[in-house]
Coordinates of all heavy atoms in Angstrom, one line a residue:
M25 N 23.9 16.4 -41.6 CA 23.5 16.8 -40.3 C 22.6 15.7 -39.7 O 21.6 15.3 -40.3 CB 22.8 18.1 -40.4 CG 22.3 18.6 -39.0 SD 21.8 20.3 -39.3 CE 20.4 20.3 -38.2
T26 N 22.8 15.2 -38.5 CA 22.0 14.2 -37.9 C 20.9 14.9 -37.0 O 21.2 15.8 -36.2 CB 22.9 13.4 -36.9 OG1 24.0 12.8 -37.7 CG2 22.1 12.3 -36.3
H27 N 19.7 14.5 -37.3 CA 18.6 15.0 -36.6 C 18.0 13.9 -35.7 O 17.6 12.9 -36.2 CB 17.5 15.6 -37.6 CG 16.4 16.2 -36.9 ND1 16.4 17.3 -36.2 CD2 15.1 15.8 -36.8 CE1 15.2 17.6 -35.7 NE2 14.4 16.7 -36.1
T28 N 17.9 14.2 -34.4 CA 17.3 13.2 -33.5 C 15.9 13.6 -33.1 O 15.6 14.8 -33.0 CB 18.1 13.0 -32.2 OG1 18.2 14.3 -31.6 CG2 19.6 12.5 -32.5
N29 N 15.1 12.6 -33.0 CA 13.7 12.9 -32.6 C 13.6 13.0 -31.1 O 13.8 12.0 -30.4 CB 12.8 11.8 -33.1 CG 11.3 12.0 -32.9 OD1 11.0 13.0 -32.3 ND2 10.5 11.2 -33.4
P30 N 13.3 14.1 -30.5 CA 13.2 14.2 -29.0 C 12.1 13.5 -28.4 O 12.0 13.3 -27.2 CB 13.1 15.7 -28.8 CG 12.4 16.3 -30.0 CD 12.9 15.4 -31.2
Y31 N 11.1 13.0 -29.2 CA 9.9 12.3 -28.7 C 10.1 10.8 -28.8 O 9.2 10.1 -28.3 CB 8.7 12.8 -29.4 CG 8.4 14.3 -29.3 CD1 8.6 15.1 -30.4 CD2 8.0 14.8 -28.1 CE1 8.4 16.5 -30.2 CE2 7.8 16.1 -27.9 CZ 8.0 17.0 -29.0 OH 7.8 18.3 -28.9
R32 N 11.1 10.3 -29.3 CA 11.4 8.9 -29.4 C 11.9 8.4 -28.1 O 12.9 8.9 -27.5 CB 12.3 8.6 -30.5 CG 12.5 7.1 -30.7 CD 13.3 6.9 -31.9 NE 13.5 5.4 -32.1 CZ 14.1 4.9 -33.1 NH1 14.6 5.6 -34.0 NH2 14.2 3.6 -33.1
L33 N 11.3 7.3 -27.5 CA 11.7 6.8 -26.3 C 12.6 5.6 -26.5 O 12.1 4.4 -26.7 CB 10.5 6.4 -25.4 CG 9.6 7.5 -25.1 CD1 8.3 7.0 -24.3 CD2 10.3 8.5 -24.2
T34 N 13.9 5.8 -26.5 CA 14.8 4.7 -26.8 C 15.6 4.3 -25.5 O 15.9 3.2 -25.2 CB 15.8 5.0 -27.9 OG1 16.5 6.2 -27.6 CG2 15.1 5.1 -29.2
D35 N 16.0 5.3 -24.7 CA 16.7 5.1 -23.5 C 16.0 5.6 -22.3 O 15.3 6.6 -22.4 CB 18.1 5.8 -23.6 CG 19.0 5.2 -24.7 OD1 18.7 4.0 -25.1 OD2 19.9 5.8 -25.1
L36 N 16.2 5.0 -21.2 CA 15.6 5.5 -19.9 C 16.4 6.6 -19.4 O 17.7 6.5 -19.5 CB 15.5 4.3 -18.9 CG 14.5 3.2 -19.2 CD1 14.7 2.1 -18.2 CD2 13.1 3.7 -19.2
P37 N 15.8 7.6 -18.8 CA 16.6 8.6 -18.2 C 17.4 8.1 -17.0 O 17.0 7.2 -16.3 CB 15.6 9.7 -17.7 CG 14.3 9.0 -17.9 CD 14.4 7.8 -18.7
A38 N 18.6 8.6 -16.8 CA 19.5 8.1 -15.8 C 19.0 8.4 -14.4 O 19.2 7.6 -13.4 CB 20.9 8.8 -15.9
D39 N 18.2 9.5 -14.2 CA 17.8 9.9 -12.9 C 16.3 9.6 -12.6 O 15.8 9.9 -11.6 CB 18.1 11.3 -12.6 CG 17.4 12.2 -13.6 OD1 17.0 11.7 -14.6 OD2 17.3 13.4 -13.3
G40 N 15.6 9.0 -13.6 CA 14.2 8.7 -13.5 C 13.9 7.5 -12.6 O 14.8 6.7 -12.2
P41 N 12.6 7.3 -12.3 CA 12.2 6.1 -11.5 C 12.4 4.8 -12.3 O 12.3 4.8 -13.5 CB 10.7 6.4 -11.2 CG 10.3 7.3 -12.3 CD 11.5 8.1 -12.7
S42 N 12.8 3.8 -11.5 CA 13.1 2.5 -12.2 C 12.0 1.5 -12.0 O 12.3 0.3 -12.1 CB 14.4 2.0 -11.7 OG 14.3 1.8 -10.3
G43 N 10.8 1.9 -11.6 CA 9.7 1.0 -11.4 C 9.1 1.1 -10.1 O 9.1 2.2 -9.5
V44 N 8.5 0.1 -9.6 CA 7.7 0.1 -8.4 C 8.7 0.0 -7.2 O 9.6 -0.9 -7.2 CB 6.7 -1.0 -8.3 CG1 6.0 -1.0 -7.0 CG2 5.8 -0.9 -9.5
S45 N 8.6 0.8 -6.3 CA 9.5 0.8 -5.1 C 9.0 -0.2 -4.1 O 7.8 -0.6 -4.1 CB 9.6 2.1 -4.5 OG 8.4 2.5 -3.9
R46 N 9.9 -0.6 -3.2 CA 9.5 -1.6 -2.1 C 8.5 -0.9 -1.2 O 7.6 -1.6 -0.7 CB 10.8 -1.9 -1.3 CG 11.1 -3.3 -1.3 CD 12.4 -3.5 -0.6 NE 12.3 -4.5 0.4 CZ 13.3 -5.2 0.8 NH1 14.4 -5.1 0.3 NH2 13.1 -6.1 1.8
G47 N 8.6 0.4 -0.9 CA 7.7 1.0 -0.1 C 6.3 1.1 -0.7 O 5.3 1.0 0.0
G48 N 6.2 1.2 -2.0 CA 4.9 1.2 -2.7 C 4.2 -0.1 -2.6 O 3.0 -0.2 -2.4
V49 N 5.0 -1.2 -2.7 CA 4.4 -2.5 -2.6 C 4.0 -2.8 -1.2 O 2.9 -3.3 -1.0 CB 5.5 -3.6 -3.0 CG1 5.0 -5.0 -2.7 CG2 5.8 -3.5 -4.5
L50 N 4.8 -2.4 -0.2 CA 4.4 -2.6 1.2 C 3.1 -1.8 1.5 O 2.2 -2.3 2.2 CB 5.5 -2.1 2.1 CG 5.2 -2.3 3.6 CD1 4.9 -3.7 4.0 CD2 6.4 -1.7 4.4
R51 N 3.0 -0.5 1.0 CA 1.8 0.3 1.3 C 0.6 -0.4 0.7 O -0.5 -0.4 1.3 CB 2.0 1.7 0.7 CG 0.9 2.6 1.0 CD 1.2 4.1 0.6 NE 1.6 4.1 -0.8 CZ 2.8 4.5 -1.2 NH1 3.7 4.9 -0.4 NH2 3.1 4.6 -2.5
S52 N 0.7 -0.9 -0.5 CA -0.4 -1.6 -1.2 C -0.8 -2.8 -0.4 O -2.0 -3.1 -0.2 CB -0.1 -2.0 -2.6 OG 0.2 -0.8 -3.4
V53 N 0.1 -3.6 0.1 CA -0.2 -4.8 0.9 C -0.9 -4.4 2.2 O -1.8 -5.1 2.6 CB 1.1 -5.6 1.1 CG1 0.8 -6.7 2.1 CG2 1.6 -6.2 -0.2
L54 N -0.4 -3.4 2.8 CA -1.0 -2.9 4.1 C -2.4 -2.5 3.9 O -3.3 -2.8 4.7 CB -0.2 -1.8 4.7 CG 1.1 -2.3 5.4 CD1 2.0 -1.0 5.8 CD2 0.9 -3.1 6.6
W55 N -2.7 -1.7 2.8 CA -4.0 -1.3 2.5 C -5.0 -2.5 2.2 O -6.1 -2.5 2.7 CB -4.1 -0.3 1.4 CG -3.9 1.1 1.8 CD1 -2.8 1.9 1.6 CD2 -4.8 1.9 2.6 NE1 -3.0 3.1 2.2 CE2 -4.2 3.1 2.8 CE3 -6.0 1.7 3.2 CZ2 -4.8 4.2 3.5 CZ3 -6.6 2.7 3.9 CH2 -6.0 3.9 4.1
A56 N -4.4 -3.5 1.5 CA -5.2 -4.7 1.2 C -5.6 -5.4 2.5 O -6.7 -5.9 2.6 CB -4.5 -5.6 0.2
V57 N -4.6 -5.5 3.4 CA -4.9 -6.2 4.7 C -5.9 -5.5 5.5 O -6.7 -6.1 6.1 CB -3.5 -6.5 5.4 CG1 -3.8 -7.1 6.8 CG2 -2.7 -7.4 4.6
V58 N -5.8 -4.2 5.5 CA -6.8 -3.3 6.2 C -8.2 -3.6 5.7 O -9.1 -3.8 6.5 CB -6.4 -1.8 6.2 CG1 -7.6 -1.0 6.6 CG2 -5.2 -1.5 7.0
V59 N -8.3 -3.6 4.4 CA -9.6 -3.8 3.8 C -10.1 -5.2 4.1 O -11.3 -5.4 4.5 CB -9.6 -3.5 2.3 CG1 -10.9 -3.9 1.6 CG2 -9.3 -2.0 2.0
L60 N -9.3 -6.2 3.9 CA -9.7 -7.6 4.1 C -10.1 -7.8 5.6 O -11.1 -8.5 5.9 CB -8.6 -8.5 3.7 CG -8.4 -8.6 2.2 CD1 -7.2 -9.5 1.9 CD2 -9.6 -9.2 1.5
S61 N -9.3 -7.3 6.5 CA -9.6 -7.5 7.9 C -10.9 -6.8 8.3 O -11.7 -7.3 9.2 CB -8.4 -7.1 8.8 OG -8.2 -5.8 8.7
T62 N -11.1 -5.6 7.7 CA -12.4 -4.9 8.0 C -13.6 -5.7 7.5 O -14.6 -5.8 8.2 CB -12.3 -3.5 7.4 OG1 -11.2 -2.8 7.9 CG2 -13.6 -2.7 7.7
V63 N -13.5 -6.2 6.3 CA -14.5 -7.0 5.7 C -14.8 -8.3 6.5 O -15.9 -8.7 6.7 CB -14.2 -7.3 4.2 CG1 -15.2 -8.3 3.6 CG2 -14.3 -6.0 3.4
A64 N -13.7 -8.9 6.9 CA -13.8 -10.1 7.7 C -14.5 -9.8 9.1 O -15.3 -10.6 9.5 CB -12.4 -10.7 8.0
N65 N -14.2 -8.7 9.6 CA -14.9 -8.3 10.9 C -16.4 -8.0 10.7 O -17.2 -8.4 11.5 CB -14.2 -7.0 11.5 CG -14.5 -6.9 12.9 OD1 -15.1 -7.7 13.6 ND2 -13.9 -5.8 13.5
M66 N -16.7 -7.4 9.5 CA -18.1 -7.2 9.2 C -18.8 -8.5 9.0 O -20.0 -8.8 9.5 CB -18.3 -6.3 8.0 CG -17.9 -4.9 8.3 SD -18.3 -3.7 7.0 CE -18.1 -4.6 5.5
A67 N -18.2 -9.5 8.3 CA -18.8 -10.8 8.0 C -18.9 -11.5 9.4 O -19.9 -12.2 9.6 CB -17.9 -11.6 7.1
A68 N -18.0 -11.4 10.3 CA -18.1 -12.1 11.6 C -19.2 -11.5 12.4 O -19.9 -12.2 13.1 CB -16.8 -11.9 12.3
S69 N -19.5 -10.2 12.2 CA -20.6 -9.5 12.9 C -21.9 -10.1 12.4 O -22.8 -10.4 13.2 CB -20.5 -8.0 12.8 OG -19.4 -7.5 13.4
Y70 N -22.0 -10.2 11.1 CA -23.3 -10.6 10.6 C -23.5 -12.1 10.8 O -24.6 -12.6 10.9 CB -23.4 -10.3 9.1 CG -23.6 -8.9 8.8 CD1 -22.7 -8.1 8.0 CD2 -24.8 -8.2 9.3 CE1 -23.0 -6.8 7.8 CE2 -25.0 -6.9 9.1 CZ -24.1 -6.2 8.3 OH -24.3 -4.8 8.1
G71 N -22.4 -12.9 10.9 CA -22.5 -14.3 11.0 C -22.6 -14.8 12.5 O -22.8 -15.9 12.7
G72 N -22.4 -13.9 13.4 CA -22.5 -14.2 14.8 C -21.3 -15.0 15.3 O -21.5 -16.0 16.0
A73 N -20.1 -14.6 14.9 CA -18.9 -15.3 15.3 C -18.6 -15.1 16.7 O -19.1 -14.2 17.4 CB -17.8 -14.9 14.3
R74 N -17.6 -15.8 17.2 CA -17.2 -15.6 18.6 C -16.4 -14.3 18.8 O -15.9 -13.7 17.8 CB -16.3 -16.8 19.0 CG -17.1 -18.1 19.0 CD -16.3 -19.2 19.7 NE -17.0 -20.4 19.7 CZ -17.7 -20.9 20.7 NH1 -17.8 -20.2 21.8 NH2 -18.3 -22.0 20.6
T75 N -16.2 -13.9 20.0 CA -15.6 -12.7 20.3 C -14.1 -12.6 19.9 O -13.6 -11.6 19.4 CB -15.7 -12.4 21.8 OG1 -17.0 -12.4 22.2 CG2 -15.1 -11.1 22.2
W76 N -13.4 -13.7 20.0 CA -12.0 -13.7 19.6 C -11.8 -13.5 18.1 O -10.7 -12.9 17.8 CB -11.3 -15.0 20.0 CG -11.8 -16.3 19.3 CD1 -12.8 -17.1 19.7 CD2 -11.2 -16.8 18.1 NE1 -12.9 -18.1 18.7 CE2 -11.9 -17.9 17.7 CE3 -10.2 -16.3 17.2 CZ2 -11.7 -18.7 16.6 CZ3 -10.0 -17.1 16.1 CH2 -10.7 -18.2 15.8
V77 N -12.8 -13.8 17.3 CA -12.6 -13.5 15.9 C -12.7 -12.0 15.6 O -11.9 -11.4 14.9 CB -13.7 -14.2 15.1 CG1 -13.7 -13.9 13.6 CG2 -13.6 -15.7 15.2
H78 N -13.6 -11.3 16.3 CA -13.7 -9.9 16.2 C -12.5 -9.2 16.7 O -12.0 -8.3 16.1 CB -14.9 -9.4 17.0 CG -16.3 -9.9 16.5 ND1 -16.8 -9.3 15.4 CD2 -17.1 -10.8 17.0 CE1 -18.0 -10.0 15.2 NE2 -18.2 -10.9 16.1
L79 N -12.0 -9.7 17.8 CA -10.8 -9.1 18.4 C -9.5 -9.3 17.5 O -8.8 -8.4 17.3 CB -10.5 -9.7 19.8 CG -11.4 -9.3 20.9 CD1 -11.1 -10.1 22.2 CD2 -11.4 -7.8 21.2
L80 N -9.4 -10.4 16.9 CA -8.3 -10.7 16.0 C -8.4 -9.8 14.8 O -7.4 -9.2 14.4 CB -8.3 -12.2 15.6 CG -7.2 -12.6 14.7 CD1 -5.8 -12.5 15.4 CD2 -7.4 -14.0 14.2
C81 N -9.5 -9.7 14.2 CA -9.7 -8.8 13.0 C -9.4 -7.4 13.4 O -8.8 -6.6 12.7 CB -11.1 -8.9 12.5 SG -11.5 -10.5 11.7
G82 N -9.9 -6.9 14.6 CA -9.7 -5.6 15.0 C -8.2 -5.3 15.3 O -7.7 -4.2 14.9
V83 N -7.5 -6.2 15.9 CA -6.1 -6.0 16.1 C -5.3 -5.9 14.8 O -4.4 -5.1 14.7 CB -5.5 -7.2 17.0 CG1 -4.0 -7.2 17.1 CG2 -6.1 -7.0 18.4
V84 N -5.6 -6.8 13.9 CA -4.9 -6.7 12.6 C -5.2 -5.4 11.9 O -4.3 -4.8 11.3 CB -5.4 -7.9 11.7 CG1 -4.9 -7.8 10.3 CG2 -4.8 -9.2 12.3
T85 N -6.4 -5.0 11.9 CA -6.8 -3.7 11.3 C -6.0 -2.5 12.0 O -5.5 -1.7 11.3 CB -8.3 -3.4 11.4 OG1 -9.0 -4.5 10.8 CG2 -8.7 -2.1 10.7
V86 N -6.0 -2.5 13.3 CA -5.3 -1.4 14.0 C -3.8 -1.4 13.8 O -3.2 -0.3 13.5 CB -5.7 -1.5 15.5 CG1 -4.8 -0.6 16.3 CG2 -7.1 -1.1 15.8
L87 N -3.2 -2.6 13.8 CA -1.8 -2.7 13.5 C -1.4 -2.2 12.1 O -0.5 -1.4 11.9 CB -1.3 -4.1 13.7 CG -1.2 -4.5 15.2 CD1 -0.8 -6.0 15.2 CD2 -0.2 -3.7 16.0
C88 N -2.2 -2.6 11.1 CA -1.9 -2.2 9.7 C -2.2 -0.7 9.5 O -1.4 0.0 8.9 CB -2.7 -3.0 8.7 SG -2.1 -4.7 8.6
A89 N -3.3 -0.2 10.1 CA -3.6 1.2 10.0 C -2.5 2.1 10.7 O -2.1 3.1 10.2 CB -5.0 1.5 10.5
G90 N -2.1 1.6 11.9 CA -1.1 2.3 12.6 C 0.3 2.3 11.8 O 1.0 3.4 11.8
T91 N 0.6 1.2 11.2 CA 1.8 1.2 10.4 C 1.7 2.2 9.2 O 2.7 2.8 8.9 CB 2.1 -0.2 9.9 OG1 2.1 -1.1 11.0 CG2 3.4 -0.3 9.1
L92 N 0.6 2.2 8.6 CA 0.4 3.2 7.5 C 0.6 4.6 8.0 O 1.2 5.5 7.3 CB -1.0 3.0 6.8 CG -1.1 1.8 5.9 CD1 -2.6 1.5 5.6 CD2 -0.3 2.0 4.6
V93 N 0.0 4.9 9.1 CA 0.1 6.3 9.7 C 1.6 6.6 10.0 O 2.0 7.7 9.6 CB -0.8 6.5 10.9 CG1 -0.5 7.7 11.7 CG2 -2.3 6.4 10.5
V94 N 2.2 5.7 10.7 CA 3.6 6.0 11.0 C 4.5 6.2 9.8 O 5.4 7.1 9.7 CB 4.2 4.8 11.9 CG1 5.7 4.9 12.1 CG2 3.5 4.9 13.3
R95 N 4.3 5.3 8.8 CA 5.1 5.4 7.5 C 4.8 6.8 6.9 O 5.7 7.4 6.3 CB 4.8 4.3 6.6 CG 5.4 3.0 7.0 CD 5.0 1.8 6.1 NE 5.2 2.1 4.7 CZ 6.4 2.0 4.1 NH1 7.4 1.6 4.7 NH2 6.4 2.3 2.8
N96 N 3.6 7.2 6.9 CA 3.2 8.5 6.3 C 3.9 9.7 7.0 O 4.4 10.6 6.4 CB 1.7 8.6 6.2 CG 1.3 9.9 5.4 OD1 2.0 10.4 4.7 ND2 0.1 10.3 5.7
L97 N 3.8 9.6 8.3 CA 4.4 10.7 9.1 C 5.9 10.7 9.0 O 6.5 11.8 8.9 CB 4.0 10.6 10.6 CG 2.5 10.8 10.9 CD1 2.3 10.6 12.4 CD2 2.1 12.2 10.5
R98 N 6.6 9.6 8.9 CA 8.0 9.5 8.8 C 8.4 10.0 7.4 O 9.5 10.5 7.2 CB 8.5 8.1 9.0 CG 8.6 7.8 10.4 CD 9.3 6.5 10.6 NE 9.4 6.1 12.1 CZ 9.8 5.0 12.5 NH1 10.2 4.1 11.7 NH2 9.8 4.8 13.8
G99 N 7.6 9.8 6.4 CA 7.9 10.1 5.0 C 7.8 11.6 4.8 O 8.4 12.2 3.8
R100 N 7.2 12.4 5.7 CA 7.0 13.8 5.5 C 8.3 14.6 5.9 O 8.5 15.7 5.5 CB 5.9 14.3 6.4 CG 4.6 13.9 5.8 CD 3.5 14.6 6.6 NE 2.2 14.2 6.2 CZ 1.1 14.7 6.6 NH1 1.1 15.5 7.6 NH2 -0.1 14.3 6.1
K101 N 9.1 14.0 6.7 CA 10.3 14.7 7.2 C 11.4 14.7 6.2 O 11.5 14.2 5.2 CB 10.9 14.0 8.4 CG 10.0 14.1 9.6 CD 10.6 13.5 10.8 CE 9.6 13.7 12.0 NZ 10.2 13.1 13.2

C-alpha cells in the first residue's frame, strides 16, 4: 500500500497563484512614486525651491494617487 504525505510540497496546485501579478507590481511602483514625489515636494518646501518644482511634484502625486483610486474602484466590480 502506497502512503503519500499530504504535507509534502512537491507539485504546485493547478489553480493556485503563480507568483507576483503585473497589477501587483504596478500598484507597488505607483505607491513608491507617490511617496517619493511627496518627499520631494517636502524637500523642495524646506529648501526654498522654485514654484515649478512644487507644481511638478504635486502633479505627479495627484496622477499616481488618482490612478491608484481608479484601479481600486475598477477592481471592485
Side-chain angles (χ1 to χ4, degrees):
M25 182 170 140
T26 305
H27 180 67
T28 59
N29 185 355
Y31 300 107
R32 184 173 179 175
L33 298 175
T34 55
D35 295 341
L36 293 174
D39 59 344
S42 62
V44 179
S45 68
R46 238 174 129 151
V49 172
L50 179 61
R51 185 174 52 245
S52 298
V53 169
L54 285 171
W55 273 111
V57 172
V58 166
V59 169
L60 288 175
S61 62
T62 303
V63 169
N65 200 0
M66 289 188 325
S69 293
Y70 286 121
R74 297 194 182 259
T75 304
W76 67 268
V77 176
H78 296 284
L79 290 174
L80 181 66
C81 292
V83 166
V84 169
T85 303
V86 166
L87 287 176
C88 290
T91 304
L92 285 167
V93 167
V94 168
R95 287 177 47 84
N96 188 19
L97 291 176
R98 284 189 181 172
R100 289 185 181 184
K101 291 183 180 181

